[in-house]
């Protein structure tokens, strides 16, 4: 797999509150529909990642291969380094699912044509601190810990 050929720019609302307003979402509604809440969080997270990437002379892309394996965000810097990012609301099961996706994707990268990722991250909605998992070196980072 040649990774760069499968990235694309994905369209997102600048602010997820636009989608919430269009759907007439009230303050309690996200808790009753975690799937939609997760999609709105992903939109917000990609917006924040783009600001962060810009400060690093980078861009954020979406990735999906022919088999349907996808990565929510690929932060690619001008110097050729990149990181793989899965965006999840949080919780042990979702973090594990995101980490599994990152590991499967990383294993498919053709390192004869490009370097391996500089980092892999599960970006979460909740949490008090960031940490790196010892078993696979994947970072788990609450969105509140990102700073451009």
């Amino acid at each position: 797999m040649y990774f760069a050929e499968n990235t694309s720019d994905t369209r997102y609302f600048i602010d997820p509150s636009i989608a919430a307003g269009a759907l007439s979402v009230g303050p309690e509604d996200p808790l009753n529909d975690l799937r939609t809440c997760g999609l709105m969080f992903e939109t917000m997270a990609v917006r924040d990642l783009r600001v962060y990437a810009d400060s690093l002379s980078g861009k954020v892309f979406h990735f999906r291969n022919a088999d349907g394996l996808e990565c929510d965000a690929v932060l690619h810097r001008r110097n050729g380094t990149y990181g793989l990012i899965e965006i999840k609301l949080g919780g042990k099961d979702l973090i594990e699912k995101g980490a599994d996706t990152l590991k499967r994707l990383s294993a498919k990268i053709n390192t004869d044509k490009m370097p391996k990722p500089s980092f892999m991250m599960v970006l979460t909605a909740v949490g008090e601190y960031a940490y790196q998992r010892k078993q696979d070196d994947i970072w788990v980072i609450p969105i509140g810990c990102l700073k451009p």
Side-chain angles (χ1 to χ4, degrees):
M1 169 173 76
Y2 183 52
F3 191 73
E5 291 177 352
N6 295 315
T7 59
S8 63
D9 211 0
T10 302
R11 307 283 188 255
Y12 289 96
F13 283 113
I14 291 173
D15 187 334
S17 66
I18 296 169
L23 294 171
S24 299
V25 172
E28 300 299 320
D29 292 334
L31 297 175
N32 297 324
D33 183 359
L34 290 179
R35 185 178 189 293
T36 301
C37 181
L39 293 171
M40 285 193 273
F41 172 67
E42 183 176 328
T43 297
M44 183 184 72
V46 168
R47 178 199 63 198
D48 290 359
L49 284 170
R50 286 181 172 165
V51 170
Y52 179 68
D54 191 51
S55 72
L56 297 171
S57 298
K59 290 191 172 251
V60 174
F61 298 95
H62 178 263
F63 172 86
R64 178 176 303 161
N65 72 5
D67 298 328
L69 181 61
E70 71 177 310
C71 185
D72 295 327
V74 178
L75 191 157
H76 190 269
R77 294 190 58 211
R78 213 183 267 171
N79 67 4
T81 60
Y82 66 96
L84 305 176
I85 304 166
E86 273 294 294
I87 301 168
K88 300 294 181 192
L89 285 175
K92 184 179 178 182
D93 291 342
L94 287 176
I95 290 170
E96 204 55 51
K97 182 178 176 183
D100 181 57
T101 297
L102 293 170
K103 289 185 281 189
R104 285 188 293 127
L105 178 58
S106 179
K108 290 183 176 262
I109 294 172
N110 183 345
T111 55
D112 291 335
K113 293 188 176 187
M114 65 182 302
K116 66 180 188 171
S118 299
F119 69 91
M120 294 188 290
M121 173 198 327
V122 178
L123 184 63
T124 65
V126 296
E128 295 181 27
Y129 54 88
Y131 61 93
Q132 190 172 25
R133 295 164 33 129
K134 290 182 181 182
Q135 67 266 36
D136 51 24
D137 293 327
I138 292 175
W139 287 93
V140 178
I141 301 181
I143 195 163
C145 292
L146 291 182
K147 293 185 181 179

